[in-house]
Amino acid sequence: MLIVRETCCKASSPDRVCYRICSPPQSPQQVLGLLQRDLLAADCLTTIFWAAMSSFRHDTVLRPFPPLFLQGAEHKDIEKLRAVFHKLPPLDRVAEAPHAVDPTTLRLLHWILSSGQGRFTLQYRPPATFHDIIGQAQSSTHSVVKPQCTFELEYVPELESRFHTAAAPYGTLLAYHGSQVENFHSITHNGLLNSFNKTSAFGEGTYLSTDLGVCLNWSPLGSLWPRSMLPHSASCVAVCEVIKHPSIMSRDQTGGVPSLQQKVPDGYFIVPNDELLRVKYILFFGRQKAKPSPSWLRRYWFVVGVALYLVFLVLLGVVNSRAFRQLYSKYAPEWPWR
């Protein structure tokens, strides 16, 4: 093993297996620094990783896969990965005492929080950001439910410059893309890829819409990491920045009436090239806590009030009747109303 480690670490271009063998354990201070930078963003990355890891489609959606749990070049030890992740406490507790976390779990957490640093940094954004997104997307949905959390992907300068250079001749727009929560680990790290799309009703490409309500229909409610600070279940929607290239299929770019070959619905955009869009925001729409159902009496207070009033009138009529007075006089000599 020592020889393999030495050879691996001296390789000019180490592969994923080299990382698994050679990478030193991460210090608690390194993990603490990542958590202190943005605890909610770290929680988001951990949560979408958990969703992909827990999915029965983990072999497809858990990309990238932590190299620490690769056996050989291809075999993924998903059971060991789940066992190690299961030891991870809530991240606020990790931030308080990172030295108390299992070393292997700490290495895994460091990878989860730093695996995208070559491309992006995830940042939590305040609720007011959503209003800016709605305005830029020119959404046709005005009374839409608001997300509980909004996160922004800030790309490294090289990727940022490359995208803006490509977008300069055409301009950009914002549009939404709904998907299952378990897909967002891959979406965040790899972007939206045409090769993963299963919908092609109006043509090949990535489907987006400026109508948030439409995209929420494609984003079913999914369970989140039980120890997360995010809602226990949520729908996820990606907000994408799209270059308005002529190759994009939409009703706006094909005239008021689409052709028979291209009946793209209003507000839809089909992007055939992965380089023409990037994920800019991730929205979490959490399930609201159910309000306690009102009691039967509160729900039917009017009916109960009317019934009680009728009963009162009936009793009043009986008391004032001649028969009642006769009976009362017979069995109660001292009639109080005389």
Side-chain angles (χ1 to χ4, degrees), residues 98-338:
H99 294 82
V101 181
D102 172 73
T104 306
T105 304
L106 202 67
R107 290 178 67 186
L108 173 61
L109 178 59
H110 183 273
W111 181 88
I112 293 172
L113 302 183
S114 62
S115 57
Q117 285 187 341
R119 297 187 66 250
F120 67 90
T121 301
L122 193 70
Q123 298 286 336
Y124 171 76
R125 293 300 180 223
T129 306
F130 179 65
H131 297 287
D132 299 334
I133 294 172
I134 289 288
Q136 294 180 55
Q138 299 178 350
S139 175
S140 57
T141 304
H142 301 289
S143 58
V144 68
V145 62
K146 298 178 181 178
Q148 287 190 308
C149 293
T150 301
F151 297 93
E152 180 179 3
L153 281 77
E154 293 186 345
Y155 291 90
V156 297
E158 179 184 354
L159 296 179
E160 189 76 15
S161 175
R162 185 189 306 171
F163 185 84
H164 284 293
T165 300
Y170 309 103
T172 61
L173 59 88
L174 289 185
Y176 308 103
H177 178 87
S179 188
Q180 295 175 323
V181 178
E182 62 194 40
N183 294 330
F184 272 82
H185 173 73
S186 175
I187 289 174
T188 302
H189 288 79
N190 305 313
L192 289 167
L193 305 177
N194 286 333
S195 57
F196 289 167
N197 292 331
K198 298 180 180 179
T199 303
S200 58
F202 306 104
E204 299 292 335
T206 300
Y207 281 61
L208 303 103
S209 176
T210 53
D211 190 333
L212 181 54
V214 170
C215 294
L216 282 171
N217 292 330
W218 291 89
S219 178
L221 204 65
S223 298
L224 302 186
W225 182 35
R227 297 172 184 173
S228 171
M229 293 178 285
L230 300 175
H232 68 282
S233 57
S235 300
C236 283
V237 173
V239 183
C240 302
E241 193 172 7
V242 186
I243 299 175
K244 294 189 285 188
H245 192 271
S247 63
I248 294 177
M249 293 177 285
S250 71
R251 178 167 294 196
D252 294 338
Q253 290 178 280
T254 56
V257 180
S259 65
L260 294 176
Q261 292 77 23
Q262 188 176 312
K263 292 185 177 180
V264 182
D266 189 26
Y268 277 66
F269 294 87
I270 305 174
V271 184
N273 188 338
D274 297 336
E275 301 297 325
L276 296 178
L277 80 161
R278 64 175 182 176
V279 178
K280 188 60 179 172
Y281 300 95
I282 299 176
L283 309 178
F284 280 83
F285 296 87
R287 172 185 287 175
Q288 302 293 335
K289 292 184 179 180
K291 296 181 180 179
S293 58
S295 64
W296 184 89
L297 186 61
R298 291 184 61 186
R299 283 185 292 173
Y300 301 103
W301 64 269
F302 180 77
V303 176
V304 173
V306 172
L308 291 176
Y309 181 69
L310 292 176
V311 171
F312 172 75
L313 293 179
V314 170
L315 290 177
L316 188 63
V318 171
V319 169
N320 291 323
S321 66
R322 180 179 299 178
F324 181 82
R325 287 171 180 263
Q326 291 175 350
L327 288 174
Y328 194 87
S329 300
K330 180 179 179 180
Y331 295 101
E334 297 182 2
W335 180 254
W337 297 342
R338 289 181 179 178

Side-chain angles (χ1 to χ4, degrees), residues 81-94:
L81 169 61
R82 289 170 175 168
V84 170
F85 187 93
H86 183 69
K87 300 177 183 178
L88 181 64
L91 296 192
D92 54 349
R93 285 175 49 193
V94 177

Side-chain angles (χ1 to χ4, degrees), residues 43-74:
D43 195 282
C44 173
L45 290 171
T46 307
T47 296
I48 58 178
F49 176 87
W50 175 87
M53 178 192 69
S54 304
S55 171
F56 73 94
R57 298 190 299 118
H58 59 81
D59 193 51
T60 302
V61 298
L62 191 55
R63 298 182 180 182
F65 189 89
L68 182 63
F69 300 93
L70 285 173
Q71 294 182 349
E74 297 296 334

